[in-house]
Amino acid sequence: MTINQLSIFVENKAGALGEITHILAQENIDIRAMSIADTKDFGILRLIVSDEEKAKKALQQNDCIVSITEVVGVAISDEPGSLSRVMELLYTNGINVEYMYAFITISKQYAYVVVRVEDNNKAMKILETNGVKLVDKEDIKNL
Amino acid sequence: MKYWQQEIECASREQITEWQNERLVNTVKRVYENVPYYRQRMDEAGVKPEDIKSIDDLSKLPFTCKQDLRDTYPYGLFACDMEDVVRVHASSGTTGKQIVAGYTAKDLDIWDDICARQLAAVGADKNWKIHVSYGYGLFTGGFGFHGGATKMGAMAIPVSSGNTARQITILQDFGSDVLCCTPSYAMYIAETMEKMGIDTAKLPLKAGIFGAEPWTQEMRLQLEEKLNIKAYDVYGLTEIMGPGVAYECSEQTGMHVNEDHFIIEALDPDTGKPVPDGEPGEIVFTCITKEAFPLIRYRTRDIAVLSHKQCSCGRTFVKMSKPMGRTDDMLIIRGVNVFPSQIETVLLNMGYAPNYQILVDRVNNLDTIQVQVEMTDKLFSDTVTEISKAEHAIEEGLKSLLGVAADVKLVAPNTIARSEGKAKRVIDNRKK
């Protein structure tokens, strides 16, 4: 099962990011994980939040461009080499990673990582058959 | 019927020049005598009516601009006795006082003729039913085509504008052969018929004469397909006459200027010198047969291209292209003329909303142009690669149409000011 990520367009200008976090704060939205891709002109803010539909609505009402993207959440054991193993599994099976980032919150046992690939189902199947634990929407809620 | 006045429309260049020489000389003499404003302007320029012997002397005459028309509002440039004026029309004037144009009975007769030439050129004859959806009133559109249709002996249907449901009923029940309206209204009628499930192939409608606003070749093809017609362009302006100043023929590659009544010039807007055929220039008209309101070297601010090439329709009048923009908004980027309308075309063709702003600057003596486009849901993706690809596609599209490279910058929605009335599309920092 995939998890939902909010993707938000951020214009490259002062205060743009602050406006977005302000809207989320007002709506009482909890941010679980985040990453920013930036180019010279614009950025894309990617968030895993407590309530993505509510967040999307609030942002759109404030003229933000938002989309919800399905991404794969991977729980890797918090020890050296586990991320490397996941990457190797994806690579050897011909799956390219568009981008990835880690969760801010970590459980005692696992580190959560968001992975964006072309074919979610294929990636999830490979990871699961190789014993990698996936993060689902319930896990996110329970963070 | 192919021509309305074949002997005139297909006259030799020598004959046309002869008419123009004689009529220009008479007109200049008349306005100098009858219109104090012209006399003063010519005196200031040091030109006497005797100095104008042929059209080769045209460039000696001062230009007339929109401001001159405002300064002499409403009747100051009329060149006949007021008792001979039988009609006035006016242009709406969104940016100032309206412009008032007067007509004598003879002026109206000539106007009827040139509109009849347009109708004949699209195939109309006295058996046709002419559906006129241009507004009737001070606006010239309705009365212009109405007069042309009446003079031809065709049947005019004076529907005027608005009430789309009634327009469609009339198209179906009255059996209109040609629809005269603005291209955007034609599109609206076509789309409404589509929604109503009306098969346009079953309508007798054969042609459309669409003018009074800018439209693109893509729009022409769409209208032709949706309405199952041939779509023709027409050019006109209240100041000069109204619709029919220039008219499109079967070749559909530009509009023949009625040179027996109007002398057209295409000039470099900065230097005022003529540009050769094929190069964009500001269109300037001189009326040479009008009695009430004969404008001399009127600067239209429309930019178009002229062609003296032999036309396959047999007409010998020079052709002007559809105006590609206005001098008010023309930009010269690295020596290339660029119009905001071209940029808009690229965006619309690629499915984007026309929310853009153009920033022009000069960096190391090189002009730069940046087009800011508002991000849309359609353009947006969660990956940089996809957005960059879309951005690049717009840049390619702009380069191939404009002929100069433009940088595209994506900005947040609703950040480009939708200012009161007309949007500020261009910020030229070179002038600072």
Side-chain angles (χ1 to χ4, degrees):
Chain A
M1 191 183 167
T2 55
I3 54 176
N4 286 336
Q5 167 194 285
L6 274 184
S7 312
I8 307 155
F9 177 75
V10 190
E11 197 183 331
N12 190 2
K13 67 170 187 200
L17 211 48
E19 272 172 41
I20 294 167
T21 51
H22 179 71
I23 294 163
L24 295 177
Q26 279 192 322
E27 293 293 319
N28 210 20
I29 303 281
D30 209 354
I31 298 172
R32 310 285 197 212
M34 67 178 295
S35 99
I36 300 176
D38 62 313
T39 71
K40 75 177 173 31
D41 290 341
F42 65 90
I44 305 167
L45 176 63
R46 300 159 185 145
L47 300 176
I48 307 290
V49 296
S50 51
D51 187 341
E52 62 270 1
E53 287 300 338
K54 188 179 169 195
K56 184 182 174 190
K57 212 174 137 201
L59 289 165
Q60 279 178 333
Q61 277 168 356
N62 284 281
D63 290 333
C64 291
I65 296 279
V66 192
S67 65
I68 291 182
T69 317
E70 288 188 6
V71 291
V72 178
V74 185
I76 54 171
S77 36
D78 192 6
E79 59 189 31
S82 17
L83 181 60
S84 172
R85 190 170 152 255
V86 169
M87 298 310 290
E88 192 154 336
L89 274 174
L90 294 174
Y91 170 70
T92 50
N93 285 284
I95 294 171
N96 290 326
V97 175
E98 299 261 4
Y99 57 80
M100 61 187 290
Y101 54 97
F103 272 53
I104 293 163
T105 317
I106 51 164
S107 76
K108 288 190 182 105
Q109 212 182 343
Y110 294 104
Y112 288 176
V113 174
V114 169
V115 183
R116 167 73 155 92
V117 293
E118 194 70 12
D119 187 340
N120 283 335
N121 288 334
K122 189 179 167 193
M124 287 191 292
K125 206 172 152 201
I126 287 158
L127 293 171
E128 273 187 315
T129 49
N130 284 282
V132 177
K133 185 175 149 42
L134 297 180
V135 181
D136 62 21
K137 285 168 185 155
E138 279 305 305
D139 295 327
I140 302 290
K141 268 194 191 145
N142 296 331
L143 276 174
Chain B
M1 192 195 290
K2 201 177 166 198
Y3 308 106
W4 174 242
Q5 293 165 307
Q6 186 173 1
E7 71 292 352
I8 299 171
E9 293 173 81
C10 303
S12 67
R13 181 47 50 183
E14 294 71 35
Q15 177 64 72
I16 295 170
T17 305
E18 201 182 309
W19 285 328
Q20 290 190 334
N21 288 340
E22 186 197 325
R23 293 170 186 181
L24 174 68
V25 170
N26 290 338
T27 301
V28 171
K29 213 175 282 169
R30 204 157 47 81
V31 299
Y32 188 84
E33 283 162 14
N34 297 353
V35 185
Y37 195 84
Y38 277 128
R39 192 183 317 131
Q40 189 196 331
R41 296 293 305 278
M42 282 174 62
D43 286 345
E44 280 164 11
V47 195
K48 294 279 165 227
E50 314 72 274
D51 298 332
I52 308 302
K53 297 185 184 75
S54 74
I55 54 170
D56 296 335
D57 301 316
L58 194 60
S59 61
K60 293 176 183 163
L61 291 164
F63 292 116
T64 308
C65 302
K66 200 153 199 155
Q67 192 56 45
D68 297 314
L69 274 55
R70 294 201 179 111
D71 292 346
T72 54
Y73 173 87
Y75 305 134
L77 289 183
F78 283 22
C80 66
D81 287 336
M82 282 308 285
E83 64 175 31
D84 293 327
V85 176
V86 298
R87 169 112 54 91
V88 288
H89 280 283
S91 79
S92 48
T94 47
T95 52
K97 268 186 205 159
Q98 52 187 352
I99 302 301
V100 182
Y103 304 77
T104 64
K106 190 186 152 216
D107 292 338
L108 290 180
D109 194 47
I110 287 172
W111 190 17
D112 292 345
D113 271 330
I114 62 175
C115 285
R117 287 180 193 172
Q118 166 77 87
L119 290 168
V122 311
D125 58 28
K126 53 161 86 180
N127 297 306
W128 275 39
K129 302 179 185 72
I130 318 294
H131 186 121
V132 184
S133 304
Y134 285 113
Y136 280 64
L138 283 174
F139 174 60
T140 51
F143 280 98
F145 280 106
H146 186 93
T150 308
K151 183 146 191 189
M152 176 176 268
M155 185 179 106
I157 313 175
V159 199
S160 197
S161 53
N163 197 342
T164 309
R166 191 177 62 174
Q167 302 276 356
I168 292 169
T169 305
I170 290 171
L171 283 170
Q172 289 177 298
D173 297 353
F174 292 17
S176 318
D177 292 292
V178 55
L179 172 65
C180 309
C181 64
T182 60
S184 59
Y185 192 52
M187 189 61 85
Y188 185 72
I189 293 176
E191 281 165 357
T192 309
M193 283 204 280
E194 218 166 59
K195 272 186 214 142
M196 293 167 70
I198 295 168
D199 181 5
T200 52
K202 293 207 176 97
L203 295 179
L205 197 66
K206 299 165 189 66
I209 300 173
F210 305 130
E213 62 185 26
W215 53 310
T216 59
Q217 182 63 19
E218 293 78 52
M219 209 166 154
R220 187 207 295 265
L221 297 176
Q222 275 184 27
L223 283 169
E224 292 193 332
E225 200 223 309
K226 281 184 197 288
L227 290 170
N228 193 38
I229 56 165
K230 281 283 197 190
Y232 299 90
D233 207 355
V234 58
Y235 179 84
L237 60 172
T238 310
E239 296 93 312
I240 299 305
M241 187 63 109
V245 171
Y247 60 112
E248 203 165 52
C249 62
S250 53
E251 214 185 79
Q252 293 181 302
T253 54
M255 297 167 281
H256 291 283
V257 178
N258 283 299
E259 287 187 279
D260 53 333
H261 301 299
F262 315 108
I263 299 174
I264 188 171
E265 299 172 87
L267 307 176
D268 181 315
D270 293 325
T271 64
K273 297 266 178 286
V275 298
D277 268 23
E279 268 183 38
E282 180 180 354
I283 297 303
V284 173
F285 283 110
T286 301
C287 303
I288 49 172
T289 52
K290 270 174 88 186
E291 294 178 332
F293 194 59
L295 291 186
I296 306 294
R297 299 196 86 200
Y298 180 65
R299 297 187 72 146
T300 62
R301 297 197 240 177
D302 280 331
I303 301 277
V305 168
L306 298 189
S307 165
H308 284 87
K309 257 190 241 144
Q310 176 67 47
C311 184
S312 65
C313 77
R315 287 179 185 78
T316 46
F317 290 154
V318 62
K319 283 201 287 196
M320 64 176 276
S321 69
K322 187 189 285 300
M324 48 227 307
R326 311 261 306 155
T327 52
D328 319 310
D329 55 26
M330 184 178 81
L331 291 164
I332 302 175
I333 310 290
R334 282 169 247 152
V336 179
N337 295 343
V338 171
F339 296 98
S341 57
Q342 294 175 300
I343 289 167
E344 189 165 321
T345 303
V346 172
L347 295 177
L348 288 175
N349 285 349
M350 297 180 84
Y352 299 122
N355 295 332
Y356 62 91
Q357 196 157 48
I358 302 159
L359 271 79
V360 185
D361 212 336
R362 187 164 283 152
V363 179
N364 299 328
N365 294 317
L366 191 69
D367 296 338
T368 61
I369 174 165
Q370 184 185 66
V371 181
Q372 296 194 341
V373 182
E374 284 186 1
M375 177 56 90
T376 61
D377 286 320
K378 186 190 167 223
L379 196 63
F380 186 57
S381 150
D382 66 311
T383 67
V384 172
T385 333
E386 286 301 312
I387 297 180
S388 299
K389 221 186 272 174
E391 206 176 45
H392 199 65
I394 302 176
E395 283 175 351
E396 286 295 309
L398 288 173
K399 177 144 197 222
S400 76
L401 191 78
L402 306 179
V404 287
D407 173 38
V408 169
K409 179 179 161 50
L410 296 165
V411 298
N414 292 318
T415 50
I416 295 171
R418 280 151 187 73
S419 55
E420 312 68 44
K422 284 176 184 169
K424 178 133 179 77
R425 291 295 183 207
V426 181
I427 296 171
D428 196 338
N429 290 320
R430 294 176 301 183
K431 288 168 184 165
K432 277 182 188 162

